[in-house]
Amino acid sequence: MKTSAVITLVTAVFLLSGCNSEPSEQDLYNAMNKVVEQTNAIVKSIAGKDVPKDALRKLKSVKKHDCVEVSDKSYKCNVTVVVDNEKRSAAVILVKMDDGWQVVDK
């Protein structure tokens, strides 16, 4: 009985600890990729269906350096991003939404 209670408690603590954690590198990639996709959609809507391939951007990688909690559900993260062949470092602010992390400031 005691062992079962301890296992349940440890499992509950482990599961709850992930609720307010900072975004992972994959979370950052997904959030930044949404921004790139939105930008590409705007380009397509302006240029029409004959958009040159080089006018559209492709997110190649995101490297997370660190994140600092700004508020309950938001973090400021320092990242290095490679879009096409351009590498840039920046600080981005992300907010935890129901469907995942979203970039709100870059």
Side-chain angles (χ1 to χ4, degrees), residues 6-67:
V6 170
I7 291 173
T8 302
L9 179 62
V10 169
T11 302
V13 168
F14 176 73
L15 292 173
L16 291 175
S17 68
C19 292
N20 279 340
S21 64
E22 68 184 44
S24 68
E25 198 164 84
Q26 185 63 48
D27 292 330
L28 286 160
Y29 179 90
N30 293 340
M32 298 293 291
N33 198 45
K34 287 178 190 176
V35 173
V36 171
E37 288 173 352
Q38 290 169 349
T39 303
N40 285 339
I42 292 168
V43 170
K44 287 178 185 178
S45 72
I46 293 170
K49 60 183 175 183
D50 297 327
V51 178
K53 289 272 190 200
D54 62 343
L56 302 177
R57 303 290 175 229
K58 180 171 175 41
L59 180 63
K60 292 192 175 184
S61 68
V62 175
K63 170 74 173 151
K64 172 181 157 183
H65 299 290
D66 60 14
C67 291

Side-chain angles (χ1 to χ4, degrees), residues 51-100:
V51 178
K53 289 272 190 200
D54 62 343
L56 302 177
R57 303 290 175 229
K58 180 171 175 41
L59 180 63
K60 292 192 175 184
S61 68
V62 175
K63 170 74 173 151
K64 172 181 157 183
H65 299 290
D66 60 14
C67 291
V68 176
E69 188 173 17
V70 176
S71 68
D72 187 31
K73 291 185 176 185
S74 66
Y75 285 82
K76 181 178 181 180
C77 298
N78 293 306
V79 297
T80 299
V81 179
V82 178
V83 176
D84 295 330
N85 291 323
E86 295 179 33
K87 183 177 183 178
R88 301 205 182 215
S89 294
V92 294
I93 296 177
L94 296 102
V95 174
K96 180 72 172 188
M97 307 298 274
D98 290 337
D99 62 340

